[in-house]
């Protein structure tokens, strides 16, 4: 039995503007290593017995996916093209249909294409545990062992004692205020919601049919009525457009009685902002993260990423500077969350 990777690559990543934007969202950028984030996502499975990868993305990114996966894998991926955005549950359902064509007993691992995991060995050990539970019919999610009271992540709560390396999934919790996050941290039964899953493809489709029958039916028919062009599987537009989009969390995982949590402590980060990228990157003696052609004088605790030209700074502290081909971002670290508003403003100008 080979584990089949399902890589979700439909996000826009606007919180990393101006690099992650439009045709080049963050998963296609080399933000933390020489490899792009989608390449790193597949490479961290090396050493596990995996089947042909399935990547779900939009029409506009199909050639980028094919090229970047082709650079690191001898096996051509199956690339599912979503005609419109309908959140993660329908995308995963269609990908599960593709997995079942490869193997009627397929076990899949669902991975966002834009996460960082520092300890790949710990990750693979957790995946092995998750697969054993999935083979018994469980829908497994990875709960990231929290290291601080994060207010930017959702949480999952486990109950009972550990069995077969996993805990019973009790509930999902929305992003909490700081006071609640501190309670969750001290409680010990809460973990960050990773957005990564392992289950039998058929088990997921069965649970989706139970809780969201219309979504399940339309997702399956969009795959069955898809047009195949080389390695590209174009989901049927008329079927897929009718789907009322929803996330896998809301559509299935919050409702199922089959949910399990495997706790993961492997240096995970969803790289959701420039501050997050600063936190996980190596600092110099002045606590700066410097990328590209940068001259930083009397500058401390800053993230500075040069582009094609030299970036020079004098006397700055706690600043984010990112230079791209067509835009320059200069922001105080404490205000960097507002970069999404800039991306939205630029988008509104073009419509």
């Amino acid at each position: 039995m080979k584990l089949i990777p399902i890589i979700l690559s439909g996000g826009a990543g606007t919180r990393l503007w101006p690099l992650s934007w439009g045709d080049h969202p963050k998963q296609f950028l080399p933000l933390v290593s020489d490899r792009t984030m989608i390449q790193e996502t597949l490479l961290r499975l090396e050493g596990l017995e995996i089947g042909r990868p399935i990547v779900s993305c939009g029409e506009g990114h199909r050639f980028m996916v094919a090229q970047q996966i082709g650079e690191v894998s001898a096996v051509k991926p199956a690339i599912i093209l979503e005609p419109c955005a309908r959140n993660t549950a329908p995308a995963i359902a269609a990908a599960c249909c593709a997995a079942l064509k490869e193997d009627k007993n397929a076990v899949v691992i669902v991975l966002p294409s834009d996460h960082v995991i520092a300890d790949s060995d710990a990750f693979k050990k957790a995946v092995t545990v998750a697969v054993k539970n999935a083979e018994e019919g469980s829908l497994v999610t990875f709960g990231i062992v929290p290291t601080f009271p994060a207010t930017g992540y959702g949480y999952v709560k486990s109950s009972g004692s550990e069995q077969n390396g996993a805990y019973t999934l009790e509930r999902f919790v929305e992003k909490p205020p700081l006071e609640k996050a501190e309670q969750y941290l001290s409680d010990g039964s809460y973990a960050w919601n990773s957005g990564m899953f392992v289950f039998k493809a058929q088990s997921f489709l069965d649970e989706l049919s139970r809780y969201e029958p219309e979504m399940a039916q339309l997702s399956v028919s969009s795959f069955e009525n898809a047009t195949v062009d080389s390695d590209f599987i174009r989901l049927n537009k008329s079927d897929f457009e009718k789907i009322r989009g929803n996330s896998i969390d809301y559509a299935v995982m919050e409702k199922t009685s089959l949910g399990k949590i495997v706790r993961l402590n492997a240096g995970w980060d969803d790289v959701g902002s420039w501050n997050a990228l600063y936190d996980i990157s190596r600092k110099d003696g002045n606590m700066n993260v410097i990328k590209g052609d940068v001259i930083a004088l009397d500058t401390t605790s800053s993230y500075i990423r040069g582009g094609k030209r030299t970036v020079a700074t004098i006397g700055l502290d706690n600043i984010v500077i990112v230079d791209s081909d067509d835009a320059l971002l200069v922001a105080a670290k404490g205000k960097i969350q507002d970069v999404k508003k800039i991306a939205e403003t630029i988008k509104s100008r073009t419509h």
Side-chain angles (χ1 to χ4, degrees), residues 183-199:
Q183 289 175 20
Y184 295 162
L185 188 64
S186 60
D187 181 284
S189 63
Y190 290 85
W192 294 337
N193 179 10
S194 70
M196 301 185 293
F197 306 89
V198 175
F199 38 65

Side-chain angles (χ1 to χ4, degrees), residues 225-243:
N225 297 321
T227 55
V228 179
D229 170 15
S230 183
D231 299 310
F232 303 123
I233 302 167
R234 287 186 170 82
L235 298 178
N236 183 272
K237 188 176 181 182
S238 62
D239 289 330
F240 204 76
E241 280 182 338
K242 292 173 190 168
I243 298 172

Side-chain angles (χ1 to χ4, degrees), residues 230-307:
S230 183
D231 299 310
F232 303 123
I233 302 167
R234 287 186 170 82
L235 298 178
N236 183 272
K237 188 176 181 182
S238 62
D239 289 330
F240 204 76
E241 280 182 338
K242 292 173 190 168
I243 298 172
R244 185 171 54 85
N246 210 343
S247 70
I248 180 177
D249 295 351
Y250 285 130
V252 174
M253 297 304 294
E254 287 193 352
K255 301 168 184 172
T256 184
S257 60
L258 304 177
K260 292 285 181 70
I261 296 174
V262 170
R263 292 171 73 83
L264 176 63
N265 189 359
W268 172 92
D269 200 291
D270 72 346
V271 198
S273 69
W274 289 115
N275 280 349
L277 200 53
Y278 172 85
D279 289 340
I280 64 173
S281 299
R282 184 172 296 173
K283 322 292 190 294
D284 66 14
N286 294 312
M287 294 303 291
N288 295 318
V289 175
I290 304 292
K291 304 285 184 182
D293 185 7
V294 174
I295 302 170
L297 302 180
D298 191 25
T299 297
T300 52
S301 302
S302 296
Y303 184 96
I304 307 169
R305 191 178 191 105

